Amino acid sequence: MSPATAPPTRDGCRVTAGSVAVAVIAVIAWEIASHLSFVIPEPLDTFLALGRDLGDPRFLAGLRETLLAALAAFVLAMLIGGPAGLGLGLSRRARVVFSPIITMLNGIPKIVLYPVLLPVFHLGYGSKIVMGLLFGLFPVLINTAAGVREIPDVYWRLARSLRATRWQTLTRILLPAIRGPLLTGVRLAVSLSLVGVVLSEFFATERGLGRIVLSAYSSGDYAGMVSTILLLIAISFALSLFLWRLERRVR
Amino acid sequence: MSSPGTGVVLDDVRVEFRSSGRDGPVVAVDGITQEIPAGGFVSVVGPSGCGKSTLLSVIAGLRAATSGSVRINGRTVTGPDRDVGVMFQEDSVLPWKNVTDNVRFPLQIARVPRAGRPRLGPGHRPGRAAARRRIAQRAQEAIDLVGLGGFERRYPAELSGGMRQRVALARTLAMRPSVLLMDEPFAALDQQTRLLLGAEVRRIWGETHQTVLFVTHDISEAILLSQQVWVMSYRPGTILDVVDVDLPADRDASVVSTPRFNALHNRIWERLRTEAMRGFAQENRFPA
Amino acid sequence: MNVRAPDTPGARRPSVSRAPRRPWSGLAGAPAAVVLMVLAGVVAEVGAAAAWWAPDVLPAPSDLLPAAARIAGSPRFWQDALRTGAELLLSCVFGVVAGLGLGVAFWKAPGAGRVFEPYLVSFYAVPLVLFYPIAIVLIGINQWSVVVLASIMTAIPMTLNTWTGLRAIPPVYLRLAASIGCSRSQTLFRVALPAAAPYVVAGLRLGVAYALIGTVAMEFTTAQAGLGYQVRYLYESFDAVGMYAYILVIVAVSVLLTAVLEIAERLLPRGRDT
Ligand SMILES: Nc1ncnc2c1ncn2[C@@H]1O[C@H](COP(=O)(O)OP(=O)(O)O)[C@@H](O)[C@H]1O
Ligand SMILES: [Mg+2]
C-alpha cells in the first residue's frame, strides 16, 4: 500500500517535481540575493569556483582526506554501535546499567571534547575519525537497541518453536525485524560522521575540506567557501536521501 | 406511533467514491429509500465493505451524499448535528482524558445546555460555574446509566475494550441526542461482552426512547436488539430486504432458541449468503 | 502489524523515521550512571597521580574541580553562560514555534509537506552547522548567526515529529470531533494536538538537545563569546585546566538538560500506556 513499493505514480512524480522546484526557487532567490549584497557570491561564480577547485590537487587531497576519515568513522560507528545496540536491546540488565549514561552522553555537544582527543589521537586522521565516530555512534546504537526492543514477542516464540539456532535467529529473524530502525540509524550515522569530521577540521587540522572552508573564509574567497560547503552538503544530502528512500521501501 | 416527518427519512441516497484506478467511481451506497420512525430501533446488516459505515456517516452529516437526501425530525441533513449522536466502529475514546473528561468533552464543546440569557459583553459570562455544574451532572448521569460508576478517574489505558465502548456510549448519551447512530460499536469485543452490552443498549433505549440505527454484521445481534432489520447488498450497497422483528419487546438472550428467532435468522442469512460470497470474491479479485 | 481499518482506504503510515522511540524506560539505571561517573573520576585521578598520561592530556579531577569552582565564581563565566543561555533560549522558542506551525501546515496541506520532506529529512538538524561559515559571512560573527541556524536545527525535528504525530492520529478522532461539532481550532487544539502529544514532546526533546549541540558547536567554531568559545580560547592559550573546567561545565549543563527533558517526556503524556 505504501507509495514506495508501488511503481512510481503520477502523484509521486508530481511530488518529486515539487521538490526540484523548491531547489530551483532557492537558487533563483540566491541569484537575486547575490545582486543585493556583495558578500554573497553569484551561483554561477560559485559553480565555477567548484570547477576550479576540483582541478586543484590540494583540494582533491583535502576532499579525499575528509571523505576517508568520514568513511572510517562511519564504519567504526557501525561496528561498535551495531553490536552494542543489539546487546543493549537483548539484555535487560545491560539496559538498566548503561541506558542513562548513553542518554547523557548522547546529549553532550561532543565537539567540545575535540581538544581532549587531540593530545591522545594527534592532529592527523586519528582525532577527527574518533570525533566522527562519537557523532555517528549514538544513532546506530540507540536505534538498534530500540528496534530490538520493539520486536514483537511472538517472533521469539516463533524462533523457539522452529528450534532455530542462535545464528539463524539472528540472521533470519532479528536482523530482518529491525531493518527499519537499523536503516534509520545508518542514515543518521552517515551524515553525522561527516559532520563530526568537518567540524573537527573547522577547529584544528592539517588537511581536509573543513580547513579549506576556513582558509577560503579568512582570505575572503566566498565563492570558494560556499562551493566547498555546498559540496559537503550535497554529499551528505545525496547519501541521506538514498538511504531514506531505501528505508521507506523496506517498511 | 409517530407523527409523519419525525425520525429519520432516507430519500434515494447514493454515495460514490472516486477511485484511484481507471474503472470509474465506486458506488458504495445506492438508491436507499427508507424510514425509521421516531423512537424506532433499526439494525442494518450486510457483508463488510457493503457501505454500512458510509450510509451511517451520510446520516450523521459527516459525509455528503452524491445524490438523494436525508431528513431528521423534518430537517434536511447538511452537516453534523448535536441532536444526532454517533458511536464509531473504532475505539474513539481519547486516551489522554479520564472517563469523566471523555464524557464531558462533547458537552464542553457544545456548552450544553446553552445559557438562556445572551452574553452581556466580553468577560461577563453569566452562569459559567452553573454551566460547569450542569455539565458535570449530565456527564455523571450518563456514566451511571452505562454502569461506569466508580471508574470516573480511570484512564482508557486502564480499561478493557468493553469498558472503553461503555465510555463511548456514555459520551454519546450525555448529549441526549434524539437520534443515535451506532456503527458496529461492539464488533471488536468478545461474544459475552457483546451480549451484555447489547442488552444494556436495549435497556437504555427502553428508558430514553431515542431513534436508533444500529449497524452490525452479526445477524443474531441485529434480531435480538431491534424492531426492524435492513439487509444490505454488497457494492453497490442497496437494501435487499426489510425484516420486521416480531419478537416480544421484553425479549432477552434466551429468545435465540425460539423457532421464530430461527426463522428470522434463516431468512436474513439466505439473503446475505450470496452477497457475502460475492463480496468475498470481489475483494479477492481486486486486492485493496 | 495492525490490520487496516476497512473504512480508511489508502491510509498512509507515516514515513518519517522519528517515532518517539526510546529503547528504555524508567530511571532505575540512574544509580548505575552515578557509579559509572564516579568510577571514571577515580580512574582519572589515579591515572593523573600515577602519571599514566601528561597532565595537559587529562588533569586530575582534584585539580579540575577547584578550577571549575573558581571559574563559576568569575563574572566572565557568567557573561558567557548568559550569552549561550540566551542563544539557546531564543533558538528553542523560535524553533519550537516554527516547527509546530510547519508541522500543522504540512498536515493540512500534505502535498506541500511531501515536497519539503526530503530536505527536512536530509538536513535533519546537525548537518546544518556546516552552513555556519556562510551564516557568519551573511550575518556577522555575533549571536544572531548562531540563533538563526540553531533555530532551524530545533525546528526540523519539531516539524517532522509534529507532522508525523498528526498523521498518526486515528482518523476516528477527527470524525468524532466533526460529529460533536468542534470548530477548526477546537479540532486542532483539543483533539489533534493532544492526540499527537507524545510525538510533539519527543520532537521538543530532540529539538532542545539539537539547539544545545548546535549552539555550542557553532560557538566552538568561531564566535566572540559563549561557553563553546571559551573552550576554544583556553585551548589556544594552553590553559588545560581552565579548558577542562569549561568542558566540565558544558557537559554538566547538557546532562542536566537531558535529564530534565527525559523526565518531562515521561511525565507529560499521563494516562497513556506508552
Ligand atoms: N473514503 C473512501 N474512498 C474510497 N472508497 C471508500 C471510502 N470509504 C469507503 N470506501 C469504499 O466503500 C465501500 C463501503 O465501505 P464501508 O461503508 O466502510 O463498508 P462497511 O462499513 O459496510 O464495511 C467499501 O468498498 C470501501 O472500500
Ligand atoms: Mg464499517
Side-chain angles (χ1 to χ4, degrees), chain B residues 58-125:
Chain B
V58 169
I59 301 172
L62 294 172
R63 178 189 294 293
T66 311
S67 66
S69 71
V70 179
R71 265 175 302 135
I72 292 181
N73 296 333
R75 270 174 293 138
T76 302
V77 172
T78 53
D81 184 339
R82 295 202 172 114
D83 199 30
V84 179
V86 192
M87 215 180 138
F88 297 97
Q89 185 171 359
E90 302 90 344
D91 184 3
S92 64
V93 176
L94 304 177
W96 62 92
K97 290 178 183 291
N98 65 24
V99 170
T100 304
D101 290 337
N102 260 293
V103 176
R104 284 181 188 175
F105 183 50
L107 297 169
Q108 291 164 344
I109 294 294
R111 300 203 186 89
V112 158
R114 260 177 270 260
R117 283 172 295 161
R119 281 226 238 138
L120 297 181
H124 184 88
R125 296 183 175 173

Side-chain angles (χ1 to χ4, degrees), chain B residues 53 62 80-82 84 86 88-97 105-106 108-109 111 155-157 171 175 183 288, chain C residues 4-8 170 172-183 186 190-192 194-196 270-273:
Chain B
S53 297
L62 294 172
D81 184 339
R82 295 202 172 114
V84 179
V86 192
F88 297 97
Q89 185 171 359
E90 302 90 344
D91 184 3
S92 64
V93 176
L94 304 177
W96 62 92
K97 290 178 183 291
F105 183 50
Q108 291 164 344
I109 294 294
R111 300 203 186 89
Y155 280 90
R171 184 176 61 194
M175 293 288 282
D183 188 2
Chain C
R4 193 163 52 82
D7 45 358
T8 56
V172 70
Y173 291 1
L174 302 176
R175 273 183 285 141
L176 169 73
S179 80
I180 63 175
C182 287
S183 66
Q186 280 172 327
R190 302 198 59 176
V191 177
R270 107 205 113 113
R272 285 179 212 252
D273 53 348

Side-chain angles (χ1 to χ4, degrees), chain A residues 122-236:
Chain A
H122 311 296
L123 207 54
Y125 273 106
S127 296
K128 51 186 161 188
I129 289 178
V130 174
M131 187 46 68
L133 165 66
L134 286 180
F135 270 64
L137 177 66
F138 290 93
V140 179
L141 198 159
I142 291 173
N143 277 290
T144 309
V148 175
R149 292 296 302 144
E150 282 174 6
I151 295 177
D153 197 39
V154 64
Y155 286 17
W156 301 119
R157 277 179 275 146
L158 173 71
R160 246 179 293 137
S161 76
L162 294 174
R163 297 182 180 281
T165 63
R166 271 164 179 270
W167 178 249
Q168 284 170 327
T169 309
L170 178 70
T171 56
R172 301 290 183 83
I173 293 182
L174 202 148
L175 290 180
I178 64 168
R179 67 198 194 283
L182 192 62
L183 264 176
T184 307
V186 170
R187 167 166 62 81
L188 294 173
V190 167
S191 62
L192 285 180
S193 307
L194 182 64
V195 172
V197 168
V198 176
L199 272 181
S200 309
E201 291 173 349
F202 279 171
F203 184 76
T205 191
E206 290 161 335
R207 284 175 298 273
L209 288 195
R211 188 190 163 95
I212 291 173
V213 168
L214 279 204
S215 57
Y217 168 74
S218 30
S219 66
D221 173 17
Y222 295 147
M225 179 191 84
V226 172
S227 69
T228 311
I229 290 176
L230 288 186
L231 178 67
L232 284 166
I233 293 279
I235 292 170
S236 140

Side-chain angles (χ1 to χ4, degrees), chain B residues 17-18 26 28 47-55 63 89 183-184 234-235 283, chain C residues 6-7 9:
Chain B
F17 287 113
R18 261 183 293 135
V26 172
S48 70
C50 76
K52 304 183 295 291
S53 297
T54 307
L55 178 64
R63 178 189 294 293
Q89 185 171 359
D183 188 2
E184 305 197 34
Y234 184 79
R235 243 154 50 186
E283 295 275 330
Chain C
D7 45 358

